[in-house]
Structures are given as structure tokens and as C-alpha cells.
Amino acid sequence: MEHYLDSVFDHVRTLNPGEDVFHQAVHEVLDSLGPVLERHPEYREARIVERLIEPERQVIFRVPWVDDAGEVQVNRGYRIEFNSALGPYKGGLRFHPSVNISIIKFLGFEQIFKNALTRQGIGGGKGGSNFDPRGKSDAEVMRFCQSFMTELYRHIGEYTDVPAGDIGVGGREIGYLFGQYKRLTNRYEAGVLTGKGLGWGGSLVRTEATGYGTVLFAESMMATRGEAFDGQRVAVSGAGNVAIYAIEKAQQLGATVVSFSDSSGYVVDEDGVDVDLLRQVKEIERGRVSDYVDRKPSAELVTDGSVWDVPCTVALPCATQNELDEAAAKTLIDNGVKVIAEGANMPCTPAAVELFQEAECLFGPGKAANAGGVATSALEMEQNASREQWPFERTEDKLTLIMKNIHDECAETAEEYGDPGNYVLGANIAGFRRVANAMLDQGII
Ligand code: NDP
Ligand code: 2IT
């Protein structure tokens, strides 16, 4: 990295001590920006990068609630309103015991560029809590969500900040959060949250969008080499919202998906994953991946090693950050992987990404490859604003076009900056430019 960007990065580290994944996400973007700053001295003069790395607002709050045994529990809530140059802050809420300020800031920072790539007029934000929904009753989840919203409601709004789901936050949680927002404000402000139920303001395709979009992005990358999903052997990690619909779309396109995972281990199913069974086990029963193996004779549960030990030609990491490291990348390459698309946010470590690029794999970074989720959230906002509900096909067609445009813009930008096929560079520069230009126009704020 050139000296100026190095010094900005040092500043980020000094100002945000111990926030490792936030540092990692910032470094990954700054690493791409040298050439664009050289071409645009006005960005540097206006201190765009220094302003971008500082969230516009950070809200941290106490979330007290009472569990089913009558015991008082206390969690910590976060909402990081990172950048609103392009529109209201937009991004998910994560409920997971690992959540801390560093994770929420990394996710919020990524979201700025991802949302810019969609071209839909949405800024970047993220929130969540260290609350662990696993093993909690519906009533406990409801009481937690109500307490969380009792603070969050004063910071969000259709034109201010629009949360959605992420790890541990799906349709059930969005329902409880929306109910409490409506009660506190006495407003049916449908556009304040996305991922809503289909009967009360939700959009068709939002549930499927992130996984579908990731596969569509990979499909566009493969088309540049005259390849397609048909006949590919695909390994997927995770067994949540993103993983399930990535599996479904890859199989619709003719691939065989042979794996998925959760934090208890990974499953290999050489006959191809039965996505309806997986959905039944994970979405409806809220079970573990072992429940799938119990009902599918061709499937095997592995509780040591890594899901990336499974040989494949296409790898779709759809679980969590830094789940695919250098050793896993090496194994995948040795086993013949050709395409990697990040369904999760920052699942591949920097060393893994470097190896994939050296091996000339097609590598789609999360901020481009998983943008279909937030893009469909913006379509949900559009439907809420016009009080319409579009049919599945119309919404899916829009998602398909958005993913194709994101792919093409990343590819063209990489080429413009002299590194064809480098989707990391393309995504970072294309996203950055759109935000930087808006910030320039809007003055020093
Ligand atoms: P879900 O909560 O539906 O599923 C998460 C899956 O990942 C589960 O199988 C979970 O296993 C596994 N997982 C989570 N944390 C860990 C961990 N620390 N170690 C091992 N496994 C883990 O979340 P989503 O599918 O919505 O999100 C998955 C990824 O996709 C995240 O990175 C998220 O930020 C990203 N993403 C999500 C979007 C969305 O629209 N939902 C949009 C764009 C990106 P277990 O149940 O055992 O914890
Ligand atoms: O990481 C992400 O893009 C999401 N979790 C989806 C955010 C959204 O607002 O739909």
C-alpha cells in the first residue's frame, strides 16, 4: 500500500485498538484504492478515505430481558450508522454470542460498498447483539426483540436507517421487532425494516435472494470463461438462510451440491443435497445438521477437519467471517477448485484470497457476490413505498439484472484499472467511487 494509505490504516488501528476484523475489512478495501486516488486527487484533498473509515454515528445500548425461568438477563445492542451518502443507512442485524463492536463495524464498513454496487440509493449500516437465539424459546426471543427495539426505535426509520436480518435474525425476529416498532411509534411504517412476512409488507424473493444472487454472480464469472454450473461439483458451508438458497439455485442450474455445515460439523452427501429436507430440518424444526443425516442414508456427518476438505470445482462459503483460511484454500486448489463466490461476509482470509488469485481461480468477493440480499431488501422498500407487491418472477428478474450489472461493473472496473479478472479490485474501486462522488457533492459533513 502506498504511504498515504498506510498512514490512514495506522490511524485506524490506533483509533480502534483490538478491533481485528474491522482492521481486516478496512485493509482489504484500502489495499485496492491506490490507483483510484492517483487518478482522483480531489478524493484525497477532500479527505474522503479519512471520513469513510469513521462511522457517522455509533449507538451501543443495554438490552435487559427476563428469561422463561424468571431470571434477568442483560445483553449489549449495537447499531453502527456508517455512511449515508447514497441513502438511508441499510444493513442487517446479527444476533450471535460472538458479536462485538469490531464485528459490527467490519460488517457496516463492507455494507457501504456493497450497497453502492447495487445502485439503489442505500447507505451502509449494521447492528446486532451478543444475544444467542439458539436454545431460546419463542417467548424469550420475543421478549429480547421487544427490549432491543425499545431502544433501537429512536434511531431508525424509513428515511433514516432500515435494518434487516443477518446471522440469527430471520423472519421470526423481524416480525417481533416490527411489532414493537409499530407499537412504540403508533405508525405502520412498513419500510422501516426489510425481510418482513409476505402477508404484511415483505417481498417475494427476499428469503432466497442472497443465496440465489451468490450463485448468479458465480454464473456470470464462469460465463467469462465459457463455463456454466451444469455438471459442476459444489461445496457449500453453512446451513442457514444464505447456504440453503445457494444450494437450491446451484442445483436448479444443474450442479451437484455435496456439502453443507454448521458449527457442529459438516455433512457430505454424494447423492446431492436434498434441499427440501435441509429446509425442513433447519428452517422449520430449527435442528442441527445431524438431524439431516439421520434421515438421509447417503449423507455422512463429519465432526473433525474442515468442510473445505470436500473436493469440488465450485466453493460457496456461506457461514461466517474467516471460515476459509490459507490451509483450506490450499486444499481446495489441490483438489481442483476453479470458482469461489463469497455468500457470507468476508469468509475467506486475506491469505486464502491471495492463493485463489495466484491460482487464477475466479474469485467473487462478498461485497459483490452476496449483494443480492440487500438489493432485494431495497426492492422491498420500493414495494412498500408504492404499496405494491410484485410477483415472484418480476422480483427475481430484477434481482438477476442487478447481479449481472454488479458483475459487469466489477469486471469492467478491474479492466479499466489494468487488472482484468480481479473482482476484488473491481468491487472495491467501483463501490468506493460511487460513495466518494456523492460525498464530494455533499460537502464536508
Ligand atoms: P443464518 O443464521 O441463517 O445461518 C448461519 C449459518 O452459519 C449457520 O449454519 C451457522 O451454524 C453458521 N455459523 C454462524 N456463525 C458461525 C461460527 N462462528 N462458526 C461456525 N458456523 C457458524 O445466517 P445467514 O445465512 O443469514 O448468514 C450467513 C452469512 O451470510 C453471514 O456471514 C452473513 O453476514 C452473510 N449474509 C447474509 C445475508 C442475508 O440476507 N441473510 C446477506 C448477505 C450476507 P450454527 O447454527 O451452528 O451457528
Ligand atoms: O450482509 C448483508 O448484506 C445482509 N445481512 C442483508 C442486509 C439487508 O439490509 O438486507
Side-chain angles (χ1 to χ4, degrees):
M1 237 194 282
E2 63 164 79
H3 177 68
Y4 161 65
L5 287 166
D6 266 342
S7 71
V8 173
F9 184 61
D10 281 347
H11 176 68
V12 169
R13 271 198 299 213
T14 310
L15 210 60
N16 308 282
E19 297 181 8
D20 292 355
V21 281
F22 176 54
H23 301 168
Q24 183 185 331
V26 170
H27 191 275
E28 192 257 349
V29 171
L30 297 193
D31 209 23
S32 299
L33 297 186
V36 71
L37 292 173
E38 214 161 280
R39 283 194 203 179
H40 294 275
E42 67 275 21
Y43 293 161
R44 196 163 153 176
E45 277 155 31
R47 300 271 176 222
I48 297 290
V49 182
E50 289 88 333
R51 284 192 277 150
L52 253 176
I53 51 98
E54 191 64 26
E56 290 176 13
R57 188 175 300 106
Q58 310 189 46
V59 186
I60 303 182
F61 50 98
R62 179 173 67 203
V63 190
W65 56 284
V66 180
D67 68 19
D68 286 348
E71 300 283 338
V72 177
Q73 302 288 337
V74 185
N75 287 98
R76 185 174 287 179
Y78 302 87
R79 188 71 186 168
I80 306 295
E81 297 178 336
F82 226 116
N83 193 289
S84 61
L86 295 175
Y89 310 105
K90 181 85 194 87
L93 296 170
R94 178 177 292 191
F95 292 170
H96 192 272
S98 64
V99 161
N100 56 37
I101 186 76
S102 174
I103 289 179
I104 300 299
K105 278 166 71 177
F106 121 63
L107 292 164
F109 188 72
E110 286 282 294
Q111 202 82 45
I112 303 170
F113 308 99
K114 182 195 303 191
N115 294 4
L117 286 170
T118 71
R119 305 186 209 190
Q120 288 168 298
I122 39 181
K126 200 84 187 190
S129 176
N130 62 347
F131 174 74
D132 185 358
R134 184 156 1 130
K136 303 291 192 295
S137 69
D138 280 353
E140 288 176 321
V141 171
M142 180 179 77
R143 287 195 294 275
F144 174 81
C145 288
Q146 289 176 340
S147 181
F148 186 84
M149 185 54 85
T150 300
E151 174 59 34
L152 187 69
Y153 89 98
R154 50 183 115 245
H155 309 288
I156 63 175
E158 183 181 355
Y159 297 107
T160 312
D161 183 354
V162 182
D166 192 83
I167 290 177
V169 177
R172 173 182 62 171
E173 290 74 19
I174 293 294
Y176 295 146
L177 291 163
F178 184 77
Q180 184 72 351
Y181 182 85
K182 184 165 65 67
R183 187 181 192 192
L184 288 164
T185 58
N186 193 30
R187 284 161 60 85
Y188 204 110
E189 189 186 336
V192 69
L193 290 169
T194 59
K196 296 181 294 295
L198 294 176
W200 46 276
S203 173
L204 287 156
V205 193
R206 177 62 190 87
T207 304
E208 296 83 355
T210 311
Y212 277 21
T214 301
V215 169
L216 294 172
F217 191 90
E219 190 187 31
S220 291
M221 290 198 297
M222 288 154 82
T224 65
R225 293 189 181 168
E227 286 178 22
F229 263 93
D230 195 22
Q232 304 285 342
R233 193 181 145 90
V234 180
V236 171
S237 66
N241 172 262
V242 180
I244 288 172
Y245 293 97
I247 294 169
E248 183 167 275
K249 181 53 81 181
Q251 292 189 333
Q252 280 173 12
L253 296 177
T256 305
V257 181
V258 292
S259 73
F260 57 85
S261 66
D262 67 11
S263 53
S264 65
Y266 70 91
V267 170
V268 186
D269 190 345
E270 288 292 343
D271 282 3
V273 174
D274 177 343
V275 80
D276 292 330
L277 176 60
L278 182 60
R279 199 183 288 128
Q280 171 68 26
V281 165
K282 296 300 291 189
E283 275 186 359
I284 297 166
E285 298 169 17
R286 296 181 186 278
R288 307 301 291 155
V289 292
S290 55
D291 300 325
Y292 175 99
V293 175
D294 291 343
R295 287 182 235 170
K296 184 95 189 303
S298 59
E300 184 199 348
L301 177 67
V302 186
T303 52
D304 55 357
S306 154
V307 65
W308 307 119
D309 295 340
V310 181
C312 62
T313 52
V314 180
L316 304 175
C318 297
T320 194
Q321 65 275 0
N322 291 330
E323 54 157 311
L324 195 168
D325 62 9
E326 188 176 7
K330 194 167 176 319
T331 307
L332 281 166
I333 293 166
D334 289 345
N335 287 335
V337 77
K338 296 279 180 283
V339 184
I340 303 93
E342 293 186 322
N345 285 306
M346 211 167 74
C348 300
T349 65
V353 176
E354 209 175 309
L355 281 187
F356 289 138
Q357 291 180 328
E358 275 167 24
E360 297 189 353
C361 295
L362 291 163
F363 177 79
K367 63 172 75 68
N370 72 38
V374 76
T376 309
S377 278
L379 298 178
E380 182 173 331
M381 292 162 72
E382 209 177 314
Q383 292 167 80
N384 294 152
S386 59
R387 310 184 73 84
E388 291 177 294
Q389 187 171 47
W390 304 334
F392 192 94
E393 253 193 17
R394 175 171 177 201
T395 318
E396 194 184 16
D397 287 350
K398 282 179 183 275
L399 169 65
T400 305
L401 185 63
I402 291 167
M403 294 314 296
K404 167 127 188 18
N405 287 339
I406 295 174
H407 170 272
D408 293 354
E409 187 177 29
C410 294
E412 284 157 19
T413 308
E415 206 161 301
E416 183 189 335
Y417 278 84
D419 198 353
N422 186 341
Y423 290 93
V424 173
L425 187 83
N428 286 338
I429 293 184
F432 171 79
R433 262 195 320 211
R434 190 157 291 126
V435 183
N437 290 337
M439 288 175 74
L440 274 185
D441 290 348
Q442 293 170 15
I444 310 299
I445 54 168

